[in-house]
């Protein structure tokens, strides 16, 4: 069973925490609240996947600083930042620092709920991408030197003959290596092989 | 065999049963529905729901998808085994085609995807209560 994604709500204002937590819970989202960025970072090890909703202005560690801290710790949780009215400069900074969305207060419930849903979807997508890329990476490591060279030739779009010539081996041998590469990589055909390897080389979208 | 409560339809307010493993969600959903004047009972999992003596009175059951213990689909099976078929609303984070298909096959009345916006839940429950009986002759 997949655990429910959780909205981690970080805000120093108790009234905001309460009302927003209620809104999120009645929309069907699991919520955990933290009264400061530090409190959230302390709990980070046990934190369940989902997203972070935080105010850009907070005493102590601000939402912006929290966001930077998460990135430096390589925590890939999407962050939604709430800004005060007219805080355009901070909003822009938050987006530059990698926030997935910013929401200007006061906001309509629906705006927040839709943003959270999008953040959840994004997190799930990133995680899937990451897992797949890791699996491909692991399979790449099982290739021999020669097989890797043949793979590079295939990715460059070269026919067997050219690869054979470049590696100074027979076309027949290239065929054997090529078959081994396909088997080890678990690819059914060349397009699949190419897609797989390219995916492992691109960062999450 | 089973003690099925004698229904005093006329005087009783409709009873809605909420099954959700998240306490905050349970409270919030309960609160929203009570505001509508409904009688609401909330349970942390399917087992608790099935153990409720008011079960036969339930006019609508709201089950959350992905619960530990007795989950939504297991609960549906057991409800049907008890010859109970209240309209069931399945609350889910991801209403994939596969889930919708499975839900339809299991007799779910409505799949409701999160986030529940505005009066989405209240409206759904209202329709479920109004359509009950007519839609499910046994």
């Amino acid at each position: 069973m997949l655990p429910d994604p959780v909205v981690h709500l970080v805000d120093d204002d108790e009234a905001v925490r309460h009302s927003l937590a209620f809104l999120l819970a009645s929309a069907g989202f699991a919520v955990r609240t933290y009264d400061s960025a530090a409190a959230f970072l302390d709990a980070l090890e046990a934190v369940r996947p989902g997203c972070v909703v935080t105010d850009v202005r907070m005493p102590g560690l601000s939402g912006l600083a929290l966001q930077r801290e998460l990135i430096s710790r390589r925590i890939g949780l999407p962050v939604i930042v709430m800004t005060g009215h007219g805080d355009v400069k901070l909003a822009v900074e938050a987006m530059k620092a990698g926030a997935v969305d910013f929401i200007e207060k006061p906001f309509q419930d629906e705006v927040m709920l839709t943003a959270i849903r999008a953040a959840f979807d994004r997190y799930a997508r990133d995680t899937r991408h990451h897992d797949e890329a890791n699996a491909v990476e692991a399979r790449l490591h099982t290739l021999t030197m020669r097989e890797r060279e043949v793979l590079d030739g295939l990715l460059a779009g070269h026919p067997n003959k050219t690869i054979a010539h470049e590696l100074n081996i027979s076309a027949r041998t290239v065929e054997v290596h090529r078959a081994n590469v396909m088997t080890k990589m678990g690819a059914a055909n060349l397009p699949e092989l190419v897609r797989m390897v390219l995916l492992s080389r691109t960062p999450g979208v | 065999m089973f003690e099925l409560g004698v229904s005093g339809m006329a005087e009783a307010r409709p009873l809605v049963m909420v099954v959700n493993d998240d306490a905050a969600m349970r409270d919030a959903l309960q609160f929203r529905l009570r505001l509508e004047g409904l009688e609401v009972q909330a349970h942390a999992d399917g087992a608790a729901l099935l153990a409720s003596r008011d079960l036969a009175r339930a006019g609508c059951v709201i089950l959350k998808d992905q619960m530990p213990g007795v989950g939504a689909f297991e609960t549906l099976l057991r409800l049907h085994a008890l010859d109970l078929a209240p309209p069931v609303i399945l609350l889910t984070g991801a209403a994939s085609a596969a889930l919708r298909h499975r839900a339809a096959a299991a007799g779910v009345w409505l799949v409701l995807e999160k986030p529940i916006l505005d009066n989405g839940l209240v409206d759904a429950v209202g329709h479920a209560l109004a359509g009950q009986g007519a839609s499910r002759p046994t």
Side-chain angles (χ1 to χ4, degrees), chain A residues 1-132:
Chain A
M1 193 194 74
L2 289 168
D4 264 349
V6 173
V7 183
H8 300 282
L9 173 58
V10 185
D11 201 308
D12 59 304
D13 186 331
E14 192 181 351
V16 170
R17 280 201 309 276
H18 280 173
S19 60
L20 202 46
F22 178 77
L23 167 73
L24 299 180
S26 44
F29 290 138
V31 194
R32 300 286 175 273
T33 58
Y34 311 84
D35 60 9
S36 69
F40 175 62
L41 289 171
D42 282 347
L44 207 53
E45 287 199 0
V47 145
R48 276 163 49 192
C51 76
V52 177
V53 174
T54 185
D55 195 310
V56 74
R57 286 182 193 273
M58 283 190 292
L61 211 54
S62 74
L64 209 59
L66 168 62
Q67 211 185 325
R68 296 202 173 109
E69 186 62 31
L70 289 176
I71 289 168
S72 79
R73 295 193 191 188
R74 298 183 171 278
I75 307 288
L77 281 175
V79 177
I80 296 170
V81 164
M82 297 181 285
T83 63
H85 179 64
D87 251 346
V88 181
K89 199 169 154 256
L90 274 178
V92 171
E93 252 184 87
M95 292 306 278
K96 277 190 186 157
V100 295
D101 213 341
F102 76 89
I103 294 179
E104 198 180 77
K105 290 191 290 191
F107 50 82
Q108 286 192 310
D109 295 354
E110 203 163 322
V111 171
M112 175 60 83
L113 297 174
T114 314
I116 288 171
R117 180 60 208 251
F120 279 174
D121 289 347
R122 182 192 174 112
Y123 187 77
R125 213 166 48 233
D126 286 356
T127 310
R128 230 180 2 250
H129 177 95
H130 191 75
D131 291 350
E132 216 178 315

Side-chain angles (χ1 to χ4, degrees), chain A residues 148-167 174-175 178 190 193-194:
Chain A
R148 271 204 95 112
E149 285 168 347
V150 171
L151 174 65
D152 287 340
L154 291 173
L155 291 175
H158 296 157
N160 286 1
K161 234 166 146 184
T162 314
I163 299 173
H165 182 74
E166 273 177 3
L167 299 179
V174 170
E175 259 173 55
R178 181 171 169 163
L190 189 59
L193 180 74
V194 173

Side-chain angles (χ1 to χ4, degrees), chain B residues 112-130:
Chain B
L112 201 57
E113 192 172 25
K114 303 174 196 178
I116 311 164
L117 298 174
D118 295 322
N119 290 324
L121 183 74
V122 169
D123 290 347
V125 169
H127 287 136
L129 291 171

Side-chain angles (χ1 to χ4, degrees), chain B:
Chain B
M1 293 260 168
F2 298 100
E3 192 188 67
L4 298 180
V6 181
S7 44
M9 289 289 205
E11 68 273 14
R13 284 182 301 163
L15 172 65
V16 178
M17 299 236 185
V18 172
V19 186
N20 201 309
D21 59 309
D22 185 284
M25 255 187 258
R26 215 156 54 223
D27 290 348
L29 297 179
Q30 200 165 219
F31 181 81
R32 286 293 298 269
L33 294 168
R34 283 200 175 133
L35 278 181
E36 301 300 311
L38 297 163
E39 184 186 347
V40 188
Q41 222 180 66
H43 300 284
D45 67 4
L49 169 87
L50 292 159
S52 165
R53 33 187 289 198
D54 298 313
L55 186 57
R57 248 181 355 104
C60 177
V61 176
I62 302 166
L63 294 175
K64 178 172 157 287
D65 185 24
Q66 309 275 24
M67 286 186 295
V70 179
F73 286 96
E74 172 77 25
T75 304
L76 272 161
L77 277 178
R78 297 209 201 164
L79 273 175
H80 294 162
L82 292 172
D83 258 339
L84 294 174
V88 168
I89 296 174
L90 183 69
L91 208 57
T92 178
S96 62
L99 181 81
R100 285 185 186 280
H101 189 79
R102 191 176 170 209
V108 167
W109 183 77
L110 177 75
V111 174
L112 201 57
E113 192 172 25
K114 303 174 196 178
I116 311 164
L117 298 174
D118 295 322
N119 290 324
L121 183 74
V122 169
D123 290 347
V125 169
H127 287 136
L129 291 171
Q132 200 204 356
S135 67
R136 286 197 169 274
T138 35

